Amino acid sequence: MSNRGKQPSLAQLRAFAAVAEHLHFRDAAAAIGMSQPALSGAVSALEDALGVQLLERTTRKVLLSPAGERLAVRAKAVLDAVGGLMEEAEAVRAPFTGVLRLGVIPTVAPYLLPAVLRLVHERYPELDLQVHEEQTSSLIEGLAAGRLDLLLLAVPLGVPGLCELPLFDEDFVLVTPQDHWLGGRAGIPREALRELPLLLLDEGHCLRDQALDICREAGRADGAPVTTTAAGLSTLVQLVAGGLGVTLLPRTAVEIETGRNDRLVTGYFAEPAPSRTIALAMRTGAARQGEFEEFADALRAALRDLPVRVSS
């Protein structure tokens, strides 16, 4: 009864699992929609492929052999795994179902996630959204490795193999202490940034790099002092409120970060104001590209009430 070159088929495993459950050929055959001779043949073929006797057949009943008792557990596990595979494949075929692992940068997450989560809840209730807040470099690595499916972050990234779906542009504003000479002003020239005591986020945050680029464009010397002491925007604005300097905030962050502190004042730059672009990013040629493009369209519509310029 040994023929180890053969591989058992799913039909054989299904037949054996049914017999192991019912211990009756007729009942097992009826349960899986096979004829009794076909069921018996499938079990015999499985015994031949595995090289072990699975059943003890008598005229009155069917018993599992010791090997059959052990292998029945394995057969059920294999069939359950295949069933899970088919369910997952069905979820992939049906858009906006299954798991979506979304990576978001810290300077976007608190301000856009409410709109993202509301959109998913209302429009895509079958989507299992899992959010990962990380810095840009970690998100890009996660997307390339397949740990993440989609990113929400500032662009351009300049990374080969990634496709960007722009969502909106937003201006930066100048946040100062209440008594600062630029506090609350409109039409602030960028050149004002040349000598201001600027507070920035720690290394690794893309918003820090964007702010430094804006300062360089304004003519600020690379050696001009910049105090870097904050790991997040909430800490940054508290340092500003304490009189330690000024900072740049994206417009989407202003209401949350400055609205609860009357010692902070927001100033606005002259047009064209410095700005950043926020986008979704995915792997080029991603299997779910059409789904992600539709998600980007829906998200653009959901963000129209924010102080941003939504991409067309």
Side-chain angles (χ1 to χ4, degrees):
M1 192 185 290
S2 177
N3 190 350
R4 303 299 177 84
K6 294 183 179 179
Q7 292 288 328
S9 69
L10 289 178
Q12 292 167 1
L13 292 174
R14 195 171 292 112
F16 170 55
V19 174
E21 179 182 354
H22 295 279
L23 294 177
H24 196 287
F25 275 95
R26 185 180 66 244
D27 294 345
I32 62 174
M34 290 181 73
S35 69
Q36 218 171 306
L39 180 80
S40 180
V43 174
S44 295
L46 179 61
E47 290 177 317
D48 183 50
L50 298 177
V52 295
Q53 181 178 346
L54 300 172
L55 304 177
E56 295 179 7
R57 301 165 176 84
T58 71
T59 55
R60 294 187 176 181
K61 57 184 177 180
V62 177
L63 297 176
L64 291 176
S65 69
E69 290 181 355
R70 292 178 57 183
L71 294 180
V73 176
R74 293 297 186 96
K76 184 178 185 305
V78 170
L79 293 171
D80 288 344
V82 171
L85 174 69
M86 299 305 293
E87 290 176 3
E88 189 66 24
E90 177 63 27
V92 171
R93 289 196 299 271
F96 302 106
T97 61
V99 175
L100 173 59
R101 299 163 297 180
L102 177 68
V104 191
I105 55 175
T107 58
V108 162
Y111 322 115
L112 297 191
L113 278 181
V116 174
L117 296 176
R118 186 165 53 250
L119 172 66
V120 170
H121 176 73
E122 294 176 354
R123 188 160 176 175
Y124 310 117
E126 299 301 315
L127 188 64
D128 179 10
L129 182 66
Q130 299 177 0
V131 177
H132 301 261
E133 185 185 53
E134 302 169 22
Q135 293 186 4
T136 299
S137 59
S138 177
L139 293 180
I140 293 173
E141 290 173 3
L143 185 65
R147 178 173 61 85
L148 300 172
D149 303 310
L150 193 63
L151 307 182
L152 178 58
L153 73 180
V155 297
L157 299 172
V159 177
L162 297 189
C163 176
E164 299 169 4
L165 304 172
L167 298 175
F168 62 84
D169 295 318
E170 64 174 330
D171 292 340
F172 285 100
V173 299
L174 185 68
V175 178
T176 71
Q178 190 176 40
D179 57 356
H180 195 275
W181 66 281
L182 288 175
R185 284 183 51 182
I188 298 172
R190 294 193 193 198
E191 290 73 18
L193 294 170
R194 290 176 181 175
E195 304 299 333
L196 291 176
L198 192 65
L199 299 171
L200 296 177
L201 293 175
D202 291 335
E203 296 279 356
H205 289 276
C206 62
L207 187 58
R208 171 192 170 91
D209 297 331
Q210 292 159 358
L212 289 175
D213 287 342
I214 293 167
C215 291
R216 278 191 286 269
E217 291 172 3
R220 186 184 180 100
D222 286 342
V226 173
T227 304
T228 307
T229 54
L233 293 183
S234 295
T235 302
L236 202 60
V237 297
Q238 294 308 312
L239 296 174
V240 173
L244 297 186
V246 302
T247 196
L248 296 171
L249 280 190
R251 283 290 302 270
T252 51
V254 171
E255 181 178 355
I256 291 176
E257 300 300 347
T258 69
R260 54 180 179 265
N261 194 326
D262 57 10
R263 290 178 295 169
L264 294 169
V265 182
T266 301
Y268 299 89
F269 290 96
E271 296 294 339
S275 64
R276 70 174 182 174
T277 301
I278 301 299
L280 292 175
M282 62 181 174
R283 292 181 294 274
T284 302
R288 302 170 73 179
Q289 179 172 340
E291 179 181 343
F292 293 160
E293 290 174 347
E294 182 179 338
F295 185 67
D297 285 338
L299 193 51
R300 291 184 191 105
L303 298 174
R304 291 192 181 279
D305 291 337
L306 295 179
V308 300
R309 296 181 296 279
V310 175
S311 304
S312 57

